[in-house]
Amino acid sequence: MADYTYTLLIPLIPFFVFLLLGLTGHKMKPVVSGLIGTSGLGIAAILAYTTAFKYFWAGHVAGAAYTSLKAFEISWLHLTDKLTIHMGILIDPISVMMLVVITTVSLMVHIYSIGYMKGDPGFYRFFSFLSLFSFSMLGLVLATNIFQMYIFWELVGVSSFLLIGYYYDKPSAVAASKKAFIVTRFADLGFLIGILMLSFNTGTFDFQTLTDPHGPAITQAAGAAFMGMSVLTWSLIFIFVGGAGKSAMFPFHIWLPDAMEGPTPVSALIHAATMVVAGVYLVARLFPVFALGAPDALHVVAWIGGFSSLFAAVIACTQTDIKRVLAFSTMSQIGYMMLALGVSGFGGEEGLGFMASNFHLFTHAMFKALLFLGAGAVIHAVHSNEITDMGGLRKHLPITHITFLIACLTIAGIPPLSGFFSKDEILVAAFHANKMLFAIEYIVAGLTAFYMFRLYYGIFWGKNTHYHHTPHEAPKVMTIPLMILAFGSVFAGFLPFKDLVTSDGKAFESAIDYWIAVPSVLIGVVGILIATIMYKKETAIPDKVAGTLKHLYKWAHRKFYMDEVYLFVTRKIIFRYISVPLAWFDRHIVDGTMNGIAGITQYAAYSIKGLQSGKLQQYAFVFISGTIILVLIFVYLV
């Protein structure tokens, strides 16, 4: 067995970089802090790729299942004789895959940020926060047990709070960071409840024990029932609530569009390729428990994922802020991944959805990070996020134009780009499991192609806007990451994912189902053609369509008033009927009781303070008087 102890360095290097830059970065030149942060991530990326090579190729016996092993583990907390929390490093197919995803995207973001954040007064602070986030995310995916994952899960939340609110002097950024933190805290409460229920009924936090198909954990928890479902089902639904919050699934999605207030590299790192897929990774990590012990919980995952993907795609068709279009696109694509997990089974061909979900997670990381960084290059050139302020930029930003077009074609599912292969596997899995969900995802495929090329034409074609200055291509430090991610977007689909990441660790045969793939490609092409007719040149067609679909367009443009619903529920119901009565009870009953006790104590103290006057004559008088009274009482009674 290969020695993977060195993998402990992968999360620790970004952690030490965070400490170094956080404590001493203000004394460094900005370029030095940027190089330190980037070099640290570069070393972590090299170690991650080394681990992937050793695990998937050099250390694997052909035909055998990929094993799960602990590269490092120490005891941290002893709760009972049987319940102990450990901290360690777990190496298996999905954790190794996530190491590659996180370090690749994070390294590209670090390199890109050297150019994008140039001149920013908080340059060192930005790279310090990036390193903290990378450490948190790497610790999350390498966790050996669910409680360790929860610790890093919350640390990821703190990191995202710091990065979203990086422009702390901007009220909208502060509000967005608080919104993301608060919304995900409600979801994380469900995650914590699920963890406690699961560990109480199984007696363990350990992933290897929990996910052992032949182990006692699944059968023990599945046996107990509550309100018509097993305790295991309830606990996994609660855990999924935490994943839905972090992955911006309906109804916890409201934080994601606002999170675009952070710098664009943050959007690429957190809200495209890493943090938002944490919920998908969580379900994938516990997938044997879901599939073998609680299939009802998987149905919840599938339907929430399917609805979220359609809901977000419809909204994306109406947004004019390019980063918000990409934000809702992310929500839609994460819905794809959740749906794939939900329609999957355990082992063999039944596990197609599991493989497809992780495959799409991998390819999505490449093309969505490319889209966000490309959007950053555009914003860097025109100093605006609005499509209406753009147009004709293909002549001014040739590299950004080509790489952005590649990403749009990839997410639209056009072969032979990577998005085609991973999306096709999801559609095949959905077709064999649930025809309704399959139909939903066919519709989403067409909408995705439409809104992405609506965005593409709005930025790079159309009538030239009268810019205040001539837009220019981003510097090489920003365009090189675009080219690298474009390369990944093109060729990632050719990886033999079905041999590497499967639900039971064993490779299985899968081939393109042309009866599903061809229509899905045609639907994507139709979406692109419609967008071309409507947006390549300025026409009145978009306004006519918006007028025809007046109410639907208005609702979609306002994100179906979900923010207003949340405000109504919080202000009119929770604040008025729960918070105000609780505040009155706290102020008048709790505080009143304490104040009353204090007042009585104070009155009594003032009343008897004369007994402690310090006058010896008074003490002697009281003593003698008391003695006489006691003697008289004794004589009288006798």
Side-chain angles (χ1 to χ4, degrees):
M1 182 182 295
D3 182 15
Y4 292 96
T5 308
Y6 69 88
T7 53
L8 183 62
L9 294 173
I10 297 176
L12 286 183
I13 290 173
F15 176 70
F16 286 121
V17 171
F18 156 68
L19 293 179
L20 177 63
L21 295 182
L23 296 175
T24 65
H26 62 284
K27 299 179 181 179
M28 303 177 185
K29 291 183 178 179
V31 67
V32 174
S33 59
L35 289 175
I36 290 175
T38 304
S39 299
L41 232 296
I43 296 171
I46 292 171
L47 294 176
Y49 276 88
T50 302
T51 303
F53 177 78
K54 286 178 64 175
Y55 184 78
F56 284 126
W57 282 281
H60 182 62
V61 179
Y66 287 102
T67 57
S68 171
L69 55 97
K70 293 178 180 177
F72 172 82
E73 188 172 55
I74 59 171
S75 295
W76 183 48
L77 290 176
H78 292 274
L79 302 180
T80 66
D81 293 338
K82 295 183 178 180
L83 198 58
T84 302
I85 299 176
H86 296 86
M87 300 288 278
I89 302 291
L90 182 63
I91 301 296
D92 71 348
I94 59 173
S95 66
V96 174
M97 175 203 69
M98 288 299 293
L99 284 181
V100 173
V101 168
I102 295 167
T103 55
T104 300
V105 174
S106 186
L107 179 59
M108 294 301 104
V109 168
H110 274 74
I111 296 172
Y112 181 94
S113 297
I114 292 175
Y116 189 88
M117 300 300 292
K118 184 178 180 180
D120 190 276
F123 194 87
Y124 77 92
R125 179 167 54 89
F126 181 77
F127 277 87
S128 176
F129 291 167
L130 285 184
S131 296
L132 176 63
F133 174 82
S134 300
F135 161 69
S136 306
M137 196 67 205
L138 290 167
L140 186 155
V141 301
L142 291 172
T144 59
N145 61 83
I146 196 169
F147 204 89
Q148 179 187 344
M149 176 185 274
Y150 183 75
I151 294 170
F152 283 97
W153 187 277
E154 295 303 320
L155 194 54
V156 165
V158 172
S159 306
S160 67
F161 172 81
L162 294 172
L163 286 167
I164 295 169
Y166 173 76
Y167 298 122
Y168 58 85
D169 55 348
K170 187 179 177 183
S172 59
V174 174
S177 63
K178 291 191 292 185
K179 185 177 183 179
F181 194 77
I182 293 170
V183 171
T184 52
R185 290 295 70 71
F186 278 100
D188 290 351
L189 175 61
F191 187 15
L192 180 60
I193 292 171
I195 290 173
L196 297 177
M197 291 176 64
L198 184 64
S199 62
F200 179 80
N201 285 278
T202 61
T204 184
F205 292 116
D206 186 73
F207 282 131
Q208 288 183 326
T209 306
L210 285 171
T211 58
D212 182 2
H214 307 293
I218 294 175
T219 55
Q220 288 176 3
F226 176 71
M227 293 180 64
M229 290 193 295
S230 68
V231 172
L232 183 60
T233 300
W234 279 111
S235 62
L236 291 177
I237 288 175
F238 276 115
I239 288 173
F240 172 67
V241 168
K246 198 71 80 181
S247 290
M249 293 289 93
F250 182 89
F252 298 108
H253 66 282
I254 60 168
W255 65 269
L256 188 63
D258 296 78
M260 297 302 112
E261 291 290 340
T264 301
V266 170
S267 302
L269 179 63
I270 296 182
H271 310 115
T274 52
M275 187 182 104
V276 289
V277 299
V280 178
Y281 179 79
L282 173 63
V283 177
R285 169 58 68 206
L286 292 172
F287 186 76
V289 191
F290 275 93
L292 299 176
D296 289 343
L298 275 185
H299 296 159
V300 175
V301 173
W303 281 102
I304 292 294
F307 178 80
S308 297
S309 65
L310 178 60
F311 181 81
V314 172
I315 295 175
C317 292
T318 65
Q319 300 302 299
T320 58
D321 183 311
I322 62 175
K323 289 175 68 175
R324 279 173 169 75
V325 172
L326 296 178
F328 282 107
S329 172
T330 298
M331 177 182 169
S332 182
Q333 296 300 305
I334 299 296
Y336 256 110
M337 300 173 205
M338 287 292 192
L339 180 145
L341 288 172
V343 299
S344 184
F346 182 78
E349 301 296 331
E350 293 293 321
L352 176 62
F354 178 90
M355 185 278 293
S357 177
N358 285 280
F359 194 10
H360 199 59
L361 186 158
F362 188 86
T363 60
H364 175 265
M366 302 300 166
F367 63 72
K368 187 52 66 68
L370 174 56
L371 285 168
F372 267 109
L373 294 184
V378 171
I379 295 169
H380 185 266
V382 302
H383 306 294
S384 174
N385 289 22
E386 289 293 322
I387 300 176
T388 52
D389 295 332
M390 302 171 188
L393 289 175
R394 69 187 186 282
K395 300 176 183 178
H396 303 288
L397 285 69
I399 297 175
T400 302
H401 168 236
I402 295 299
T403 54
F404 200 91
L405 175 59
I406 290 172
C408 289
L409 290 169
T410 305
I411 194 175
I414 303 301
L417 305 178
S418 61
F420 163 74
F421 295 101
S422 56
K423 187 187 74 171
D424 177 67
E425 300 286 14
I426 291 176
L427 291 172
V428 172
F431 178 79
H432 292 296
N434 189 305
K435 299 298 188 293
M436 179 64 74
L437 290 173
F438 169 75
I440 289 174
E441 295 315 309
Y442 249 25
I443 295 170
V444 173
L447 291 175
T448 301
F450 171 76
Y451 68 67
M452 285 310 306
F453 275 83
R454 169 181 174 265
L455 180 63
Y456 164 73
Y457 286 123
I459 296 172
F460 297 103
W461 291 76
K463 184 179 179 180
N464 281 342
T465 304
H466 296 290
Y467 299 108
H468 296 295
H469 61 280
T470 303
H472 58 84
E473 185 63 271
K476 289 183 179 180
V477 74
M478 293 171 63
T479 56
I480 289 175
L482 296 181
M483 291 185 280
I484 294 173
L485 289 170
F487 179 86
S489 300
V490 172
F491 294 105
F494 294 102
L495 287 174
F497 229 76
K498 59 184 174 55
D499 299 329
L500 305 177
V501 181
T502 59
S503 59
D504 58 357
K506 300 177 182 178
F508 65 85
E509 294 294 328
S510 70
I512 296 175
D513 188 331
Y514 290 99
W515 290 103
I516 294 175
V518 173
S520 72
V521 172
L522 291 176
I523 289 173
V525 171
V526 169
I528 293 173
L529 290 176
I530 294 173
T532 303
I533 294 170
M534 293 177 66
Y535 297 104
K536 186 178 180 181
K537 297 180 179 179
E538 286 192 4
T539 67
I541 298 176
D543 293 332
K544 291 180 180 179
V545 173
T548 304
L549 304 174
K550 181 177 180 181
H551 297 294
L552 175 61
Y553 180 87
K554 180 181 178 182
W555 277 63
H557 183 68
R558 294 298 299 271
K559 296 168 282 190
F560 292 96
Y561 296 94
M562 287 301 299
D563 285 301
E564 287 79 1
V565 169
Y566 269 90
L567 287 174
F568 175 81
V569 171
T570 52
R571 292 179 178 177
K572 302 298 184 180
I573 298 177
I574 296 178
F575 289 175
R576 178 178 296 180
Y577 297 109
I578 298 178
S579 299
V580 171
L582 285 176
W584 183 91
F585 181 84
D586 179 67
R587 189 178 303 111
H588 293 87
I589 305 302
V590 178
D591 288 353
T593 301
M594 294 300 102
N595 292 338
I597 293 173
I600 293 171
T601 303
Q602 185 179 40
Y603 175 79
Y606 275 110
S607 299
I608 65 173
K609 68 177 183 178
L611 298 176
Q612 298 289 332
S613 63
K615 296 178 180 179
L616 184 60
Q617 299 92 329
Q618 182 181 357
Y619 293 162
F621 174 76
V622 172
F623 175 76
I624 295 172
S625 299
T627 302
I628 294 172
I629 291 172
L630 290 174
V631 170
L632 292 175
I633 291 173
F634 176 77
V635 171
Y636 176 78
L637 293 176
V638 172

